[in-house]
Structures are given as structure tokens and as C-alpha cells.
Amino acid sequence: MADIIQLLPDSVANQIAAGEVVQRPASAVKELLENAVDAGSTEIELIIKDSGKTLIQVVDNGKGMSETDARLSFERHATSKIKNADDLFHIRTMGFRGEALASIAAIAQVELKTRTHNSELGTSVIIEGSEVKEQNVIQTNAGTSIAVKNLFYNVPARRNFLKSDSVELGHIEEEFRRVALVNPDVSFSFYHNEKPLYKLAKSTFNQRIVAVFGDNYKQKLLPVEEETDFVRLNGFVTKIEFAKKTKSEQYFFVNGRFIKHPYLNHAVENAYAELLPEKMHPSYFINLEVDSARIDVNIHPTKTEVKFIDERIIYSILRSAVKKSLGQFTLAPQIEFDPIQGISLDSPPKGYIPKEPTITVNPDFNPFQSSGFSKPKETFRDKNNKENWHKLFSQSNFECEKELDTPAESAAVKQDDLFSIEEPEDTAPKPSVIQVQNMYIVSDIKSGMLIIDQQRAHERVLYEAYMKRNKEKTSIQQLLFPETCRLSPADSETLKELLPEIKEMGFDIEEFGKNTFVVSGVPTDISDTDVHETIEEIISQFKNNLLNKSLDNRNSIALTLARKSSVKTGTRLEQEEMQSIMAALFACECPEVALDGKKIMILLEKSDIQEKFK
Ligand code: ADP
Ligand code: MG
């Protein structure tokens, strides 16, 4: 029998490999952008026509290639990034295997122009279906430009499988975002059919996130940072109130490359458990730096998945880092976004080393000026919180010019007494409000109508006040008949752990032998008839919370007490009570978010109301 085995010609072998590396225009975009970044570029331009089907071009100002390298770069297994077996581990993280250009050249018409910074002349190579058509010495900018034309021109089956232009463009944009996000120190521009889609200046990570996803991200981000032997991580997660129904903005980067990691994704989502309503997801942008030797080899390098040897440890480090950040910032949010410097903190958390700030302030900026605060992106955490509230009301039909700042002001001063819904001492007239359905406080404001959920609002007020309490300043009501609480041994252990914080909040409580505690005084705002019940609720909230340790002791107790002592839905409120709640709410640090992450208030714009009458 005649021999039948033959070696495939290179061009065919390359085409087969290309099927693995280049599935669609977006894959070529990814490879070209990554090469440009690897070449140390500081400016990268992506130019696309017809969603990448006719042209994908990447122009960079990186180190460029010599004449020989220019030609060699298209050879299979030609790479400058792996020199010996030791370097091989880079394959796992960075996907280096010298296949991208060879693969792309096998299925498209490619034009390379490149020049190194220290040579006067550059090189151009034209290659089609793996065949070099031309190679010339040319004048060109330092750096590299690679134009990929008519992708899959010689693989009609592939070409026919491409999706609609908008779908392919969507994929390209996503690849672009991934590379752009993790390389904020590189400036990027992206043109599609000559229209600029993105122009991203060199910046910090959080500025890059905002530049890519929009200004409304300024208020959404919380920093996450952790450094351990297993992993160094830094980045941002979104605050609970900005959770989304989709999982679209979730980014992990490992050693500078985007990856998908369902297990680590779970770690982040889990950190939000209990804080987020079901089916809502946080966005995140997290860089992980891991020793490449501790990344498993058996994963295909062009896939965006990696497997860590220390996966479980990294999981818990990540989860606790996110939790820490949520606990530190979300429940008592103090974070502000400085457009120049990025995130700045009023009182930095332990271990956070802030960069030296160079702050520029626009004194005329008033987020309420033009459109009120109907857009969800606007929060009330501005430094000029009270002033803004004032403005919000100042032009309402009821002409309560000076009114709102007064109660807000006095509420702030009277933080410690906020639980008893007492009228602040000033006598200024208040904006008039009405109660609807014994559930909502409705108020007329400048741009429309504000509707506040009374229970959620009051819970927020109480929660923040409990968090600020300390024993010296808290009024305690001594019980006529001290209450004895007998607990199970387990609950008794829990209560012992919580005793310092409970006392701090105004409970006079002592351990009295075997699993028994005597309460002889309670904070004035807690009814003296359900002392035992309150203690049990504190314990049970704490135990629930223990399952995923999302709150610290004080947070947990404050949450229980706030829920316990707030006015409830269905309770009729007097004018003064409503005004008092509103004033105290606006003096809160986080007046718009309920303790479970839901909305406390909504605004009906005048135009929304008019719309209803059409
Ligand atoms: P890999 O990136 O895995 O090394 P590629 O096929 O993507 O393989 O690229 C092959 C080689 O071509 C690279 O190792 C690099 O030396 C060179 N190269 C590719 N793109 C560029 C670029 N934009 N600037 C400079 N060198 C480049
Ligand atoms: Mg490459």
C-alpha cells in the first residue's frame, strides 16, 4: 500500500490553529491590543471598519520591531516573550505562545508597519493567507501599526458564521474595555467607521473605570485592597445601592490580563449576601496579582479562564476584603469622588495609605441645580449636603426659603436625641408635609414631589445615631424592676461577646452567673416592656450575621435596635413627627439608602406628574 500520510503545508496548519485563536473579529482585536501593551506602548489606537469584518487596525507607540523581527513575528511559535523553559509559566497567565500573529495572518490580509525607536527607517510587511507578498524598507512612525483586512477572506465558513455587525462590535468593545481597564496608564482611542467611540486619557484605575462606564460611576465605587502572601488585590466594587440586575460589569484581572472566574465571582457576590436583594449583582473591577508559578498549567491559554493552586485561600481573602470595604464604606459612607485624584476619603480606614491629594474644587458645582436629584446617580453625600437640601426646597411653591436648613442643622446638633421624635428647639416654620397611606411622607419640593418611606427613613436615622452613640452621652432609663434574662448556653456566649457594645449603646446589663443576665437600664428610646425580646433579637441578628460575618458587632446591634425602635409602616404620624424624621434623615450620612439596600425615597419630577395628566 502506498504511503498516505503527508505533512500539512504551513498555511493549512496555520489556518487550523487560527480557528482556535481567532474565532471572531474581537479575538484579533484582543491579540493585537495585548501585543501593543506588551510592547510598552503609552498610546494605543484601535481603528475598526464594519465591526472588524473589513478592517481591524491597531497603532501603537511601543518599542517596535527590527526588520528581522518584523518578518519573524508571523512565524508560528515566534515570540520574543518566552526565551527558555523557565519563562513558560508566562504562557499560563499572559497567553504568550507566539501564535497570534501567525494565526491572524493565515486568515486575513495583514499589513505591518513598524520601526524601533533607535532606527531611522522602518519595515513594512504585507502578508496574505500566511504568504508574504511584500517586504519593504519604509519611513514610518516609531512603534507598530498592524492592519488586518478582510478577516476570514479565505475561510468562508467562518465568515458566514459571524453575527450581525452590532453583535460583533459589541464583542470588540468588550475586549477593548478589558484591555483598557487594566491598563489605565496607557491612553487609548477607538474608532469605528471613523467615528470615535472611546477616547481614554492616561489615568488612575478608578478614573479609567469612570471614563469607560460613565460619570455616574463616580459615586458608585468603593475601594478594595488586600495584600497577603498568596495574592495582592486591589480595585473597586460598587456600593450596595448600585447593584444591577445584570452581571455585565464584573471584571477580574490577573497579572494584568482579564480573566473569568466563576468561583471568585462567587466570593465577591457572597460578600454582598444579605445586603442585596435577590437577583441583584454588584459590579466589580478587581486586579489580582498572583505568583504565576501558582497558577495551574492545564488551562488553555487563549481561554480567559485560569485556575489558581490556592483557589480556596484566594476566595476567602477576596471575600473578606470586599466585606471589609462594604462594612467600612457602605454602612457609613464617607467616600467621595474627586475628579482629579480619584477616590478620596474623609476618614481613611485603618491601613489605607492615601496619596497626597491635589484637590481642585469647582465652587459653583451644584448637583441639584439643573435637574434636581431625580437621576439615581446623584447621592446626597455631598459635603454640602445640608446646603443642597436647602436648595432643593428653596423654590418650592410653599416658599419654605429658610426652613429646611434649620431643622437639618438642629437635627445634626441633636444627633444624640434623634430617637425620641422630639421637635427640635427652633421655632422656624417647617416645610409642610402630608402622610399618605400611613406609610409615606410626601413633601413638595423645588422640582416636584418627594416621597419618603417612613419606616425605612426612621430606621436609617436611628441606625446612624446608634452607630454614633457612646455611653457617656446616652440617656439611660433605669428600670423599676430589673429584668432577668435566662439564655441558652450558646446564646449566653454570644451575648457575652456583645456586652461591651451593648453597654455602649445605653443598656445597663450585667452577667449574673449561669447563663443569666440582669438588665437594669435601657436606652430611653427602647420600650421598657420588651427588654428580654430586644436582647434576644440582638442575639439572633448577630447569629444570622455570623453565617457570613458581613457586619461587625456594633453594626449588628445598631441594626437590630434601629429596626426594633423605628416607627412602623401603618403608624399614623403627626406633622411634627414627620418633619422631625425628615430633618434627621437629611442630616444622615446616607439618607437615600435603606438598611437593606433599598430606596428610602423617590422623587416624582414635575414633568413626570404632568405626563400623567396627558
Ligand atoms: P506572543 O504575543 O505570544 O509573543 P504574537 O504572535 O502575538 O505572540 O506576537 C509575536 C511577536 O511579535 C511578539 O512576541 C513580539 O515580539 C512581536 N510583536 C507583536 N506585536 C507587536 C507590537 N505591537 N509591537 C512590538 N512587537 C510586537
Ligand atoms: Mg501576542
Side-chain angles (χ1 to χ4, degrees), residues 528-540:
D528 56 3
T529 53
D530 44 351
V531 176
H532 197 150
E533 196 184 302
T534 307
I535 295 292
E536 289 200 331
E537 278 168 23
I538 290 175
I539 294 169
S540 104

Side-chain angles (χ1 to χ4, degrees), residues 31 34-35 38 81 94-101 257:
E31 296 295 340
E34 284 181 354
N35 280 347
D38 294 341
K81 298 166 196 170
M94 312 294 238
F96 300 150
R97 43 179 204 163
E99 274 190 321
L101 285 189
R257 292 285 211 258

